[in-house]
């Protein structure tokens, strides 16, 4: 086994770390407080090629791999996990297009996403269908040369960004003989009449990430905007989510690392009982546990990415990485606030922001319970 990153991965990680530290981190607090999306930073991420790392060069991507992408996600999320989630959802959408699109669809829709000129959204969740994705109610009815979409999607990342161009939408096109919904995926350009962005959600944290309702009212798209095989939509969406899970694991490790960095530095500087906090076992043991959990989360997401890059099955590893790293991030963020004491609860200390952001990671792209269901099925 070789635990050493190759030179390319090291260079990519270091470039992302430098960019995240110098450009993103100083603006992250303000972005989170104001809820204004930082288009300037997104443009810089696009200029650096960050948006398309694992996608083929022929579509404008970086020709790299998911190992590189996940290392990048860790670094971006260490500075601002809201931007990490933006990048994750864009990659997940592009990945579904790349995996299941026709050549014509890929030529048309992939370059804007992987270049970062536009961002993509992944629309599955509905008011009555979250974990139980097969029970979605949004419909797509064939009508001549078109599909007509009706229904509501909720909690959709990226669709509210000014630069978002398309969403890949799961909708029901009929019932099978067994009475099961036939689910297809559709590429829906945001500007299509009848496609409307609903309210912006007022969230607990993650204000630098856009989360909106997406509403379809007699939204007509051409027949050839179906993505992949008819009736295979749910399987495709769930396959794409596997990549999302390894990405969220990397985001979680980045956020947890930010918590550890802040906690070590605070514990070295804060004097109580005449000694820095780090001299007390009650504090240093917490820091040690944080460091071990971060290392484990990192190894899990790197293994999942390595399997994916080598075309090997990675269902267990992607879910295990997402489950472990997101649970660890929430625990670590809580411990980081505890180490900071009362200061940690104050908005001026970044750990209070990390604490509010960490919770979302246990929910997005399949809750911890859903990851356990997926993992148990592989046993
Ligand atoms: C910030 C944010 C961004 C998001 N972005 C997107 C996006 O871009 N696209 C998108 O489609 N969705 C998105 N989501 C939605 C997210 O994927 C769902 O919230 C998630 O899948 C859970 O669905 P739900 O909220 O309906 O909860 P529910 O499915 O109603 O679950 C409620 C609780 O019950 C548990 N539960 C449900 N079923 C079981 C079971 N069988 N066994 C044990 N426990 C169970 C769940 O784990 C959870 O704890 C986002 C959510 C958030 C918070």
């Amino acid at each position: 086994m070789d635990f050493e990153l190759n030179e390319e991965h090291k260079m990519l990680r270091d470039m992302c770390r430098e960019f995240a530290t110098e450009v993103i981190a100083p603006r992250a607090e303000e972005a989170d407080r104001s809820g204004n999306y930082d288009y300037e930073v997104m443009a810089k991420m696009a200029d650096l090629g960050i948006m398309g790392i694992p996608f083929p060069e022929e579509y404008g991507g970086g020709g790299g791999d998911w190992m590189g992408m996940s290392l990048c996600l860790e670094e971006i999320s260490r500075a601002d996990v809201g931007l990490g989630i933006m990048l994750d959802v864009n990659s997940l959408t592009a990945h579904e297009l790349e995996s299941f699109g026709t050549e014509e669809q890929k030529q048309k829709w992939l370059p804007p996403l992987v270049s970062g000129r536009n961002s993509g959204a992944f629309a599955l969740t509905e008011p009555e269908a979250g974990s139980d994705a097969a029970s979605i109610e949004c419909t797509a009815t064939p009508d001549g040369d078109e599909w007509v979409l009706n229904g509501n999607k909720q909690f959709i990342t990226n669709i509210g960004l000014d630069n978002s161009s398309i969403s890949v939408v799961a909708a029901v096109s009929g019932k099978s003989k067994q009475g099961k919904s036939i689910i297809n995926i559709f590429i829906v350009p945001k500007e299509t009449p009848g496609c409307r962005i609903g309210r912006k959600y007022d969230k607990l944290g993650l204000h630098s990430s856009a989360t909106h309702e997406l509403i379809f009212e007699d939204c007509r798209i051409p027949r050839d905007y179906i993505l992949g095989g008819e009736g295979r939509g749910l399987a495709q969406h769930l396959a794409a989510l596997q990549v999302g899970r390894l990405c969220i694991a990397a985001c979680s490790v980045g956020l947890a690392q930010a918590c550890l960095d802040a906690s070590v530095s605070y514990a070295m500087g804060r004097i109580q009982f005449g000694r820095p906090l780090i001299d007390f076992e009650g504090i240093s043991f917490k820091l040690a546990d944080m460091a071990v959990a971060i290392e484990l989360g990192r190894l899990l997401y790197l293994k999942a990415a390595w399997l994916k890059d080598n075309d090997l099955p990675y269902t267990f590893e992607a879910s295990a990485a997402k489950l472990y790293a997101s649970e660890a991030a929430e625990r670590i963020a809580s411990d980081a606030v505890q180490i900071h004491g009362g200061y940690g609860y104050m908005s001026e200390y970044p750990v209070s922001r990390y604490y509010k952001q960490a919770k979302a990671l246990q929910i997005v792209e399949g809750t911890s319970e859903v990851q356990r269901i997926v993992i148990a099925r592989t046993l």
Side-chain angles (χ1 to χ4, degrees):
M1 277 174 110
D2 184 359
F3 285 100
E4 189 70 19
L5 295 177
N6 66 31
E7 281 312 307
E8 225 168 278
H9 286 139
K10 276 190 210 162
M11 273 167 57
L12 179 62
R13 182 201 55 195
D14 294 348
M15 185 269 284
C16 293
R17 183 172 295 173
E18 193 182 322
F19 171 70
T21 309
E22 287 174 12
V23 179
I24 302 180
R27 306 159 72 121
E29 176 70 39
E30 174 56 21
D32 194 67
R33 195 178 15 245
S34 67
N36 296 330
Y37 311 126
D38 201 333
Y39 295 108
E40 211 180 300
V41 164
M42 289 183 218
K44 286 185 177 150
M45 286 167 71
D47 289 346
L48 285 173
I50 282 176
M51 304 301 292
I53 292 169
F55 298 99
E57 286 170 359
E58 58 184 299
Y59 302 114
D65 55 19
W66 289 95
M67 178 91 85
M69 186 65 183
S70 48
L71 288 164
C72 166
L73 277 162
E74 179 185 334
E75 297 305 328
I76 300 293
S77 303
R78 189 171 175 177
D80 182 352
V81 72
L83 280 175
I85 288 179
M86 181 280 293
L87 177 55
D88 148 61
V89 173
N90 188 63
S91 311
L92 159 66
T93 308
H95 179 57
E96 187 161 6
L97 281 166
E98 186 204 358
S99 305
F100 303 108
T102 61
E103 192 49 43
E104 201 184 340
Q105 288 171 337
K106 289 195 249 193
Q107 296 282 356
K108 183 169 182 177
W109 304 111
L110 261 181
L113 301 192
V114 303
S115 67
R117 202 162 64 246
N118 291 125
S119 61
F122 182 91
L124 177 60
T125 307
E126 297 181 1
E128 303 304 328
S131 304
D132 182 11
S135 69
I136 58 166
E137 291 171 354
C138 182
T139 57
T141 313
D143 183 23
D145 288 342
E146 296 174 319
W147 292 98
V148 186
L149 269 67
N150 279 289
N152 288 4
K153 296 288 176 184
Q154 71 175 7
F155 307 152
I156 305 305
T157 303
N158 288 354
I159 194 71
L161 293 174
D162 291 348
N163 65 8
S164 85
S165 56
I166 56 160
S167 49
V168 287
V169 179
V172 178
S173 304
K175 292 275 177 201
S176 69
K177 282 185 194 138
Q178 295 77 29
K180 284 191 175 164
S181 292
I182 298 170
I183 295 177
N184 290 316
I185 306 300
F186 300 92
I187 303 166
V188 185
K190 188 175 164 181
E191 304 308 329
T192 312
C195 170
R196 188 161 62 78
I197 312 304
R199 72 190 165 108
K200 172 181 178 177
Y201 291 95
D202 183 13
K203 303 190 293 273
L204 173 66
L206 278 184
H207 305 300
S208 58
S209 166
T211 321
H212 290 73
E213 266 179 323
L214 177 59
I215 298 154
F216 301 108
E217 292 157 330
D218 289 330
C219 172
R220 290 177 170 272
I221 52 168
R223 277 299 275 262
D224 61 2
Y225 280 21
I226 189 168
L227 177 61
E230 279 209 58
R232 301 189 43 79
L234 190 59
Q236 286 173 203
H237 241 29
L238 297 182
L241 270 177
Q242 279 193 43
V243 140
R245 286 167 185 168
L246 92 81
C247 291
I248 293 292
C251 293
S252 303
V253 171
L255 179 66
Q257 184 68 55
C259 291
L260 177 62
D261 296 344
S263 301
V264 169
S265 138
Y266 187 81
M268 286 168 74
R270 173 74 170 167
I271 308 292
Q272 290 292 284
F273 302 97
R275 293 155 70 187
L277 290 180
I278 202 159
D279 281 0
F280 300 112
E281 246 179 33
I283 299 292
S284 63
F285 279 18
K286 263 196 179 66
L287 295 170
D289 288 345
M290 286 172 158
V292 173
I294 289 167
E295 190 60 18
L296 281 174
R298 189 174 288 127
L299 288 173
L300 281 169
Y301 88 63
L302 285 172
K303 181 172 179 193
W306 181 85
L307 289 167
K308 164 81 183 138
D309 289 333
N310 285 282
D311 290 328
L312 293 165
Y314 69 111
T315 306
F316 169 87
E317 287 79 3
S319 281
K322 200 270 177 185
L323 172 64
Y324 181 81
S326 64
E327 298 268 310
E330 196 228 12
R331 211 170 51 241
I332 288 170
S334 171
D335 282 347
V337 171
Q338 196 68 22
I339 288 170
H340 283 68
Y343 291 107
Y345 201 69
M346 303 300 146
S347 302
E348 67 220 65
Y349 280 77
V351 289
S352 66
R353 168 164 45 98
Y354 303 154
Y355 184 56
K356 288 186 274 185
Q357 292 171 329
K359 188 67 206 169
L361 300 168
Q362 295 170 305
I363 297 169
V364 296
E365 291 174 32
T367 61
S368 292
E369 290 75 17
V370 165
Q371 303 314 320
R372 289 187 173 96
I373 293 171
V374 173
I375 290 165
R377 280 192 194 133
T378 69
L379 303 180

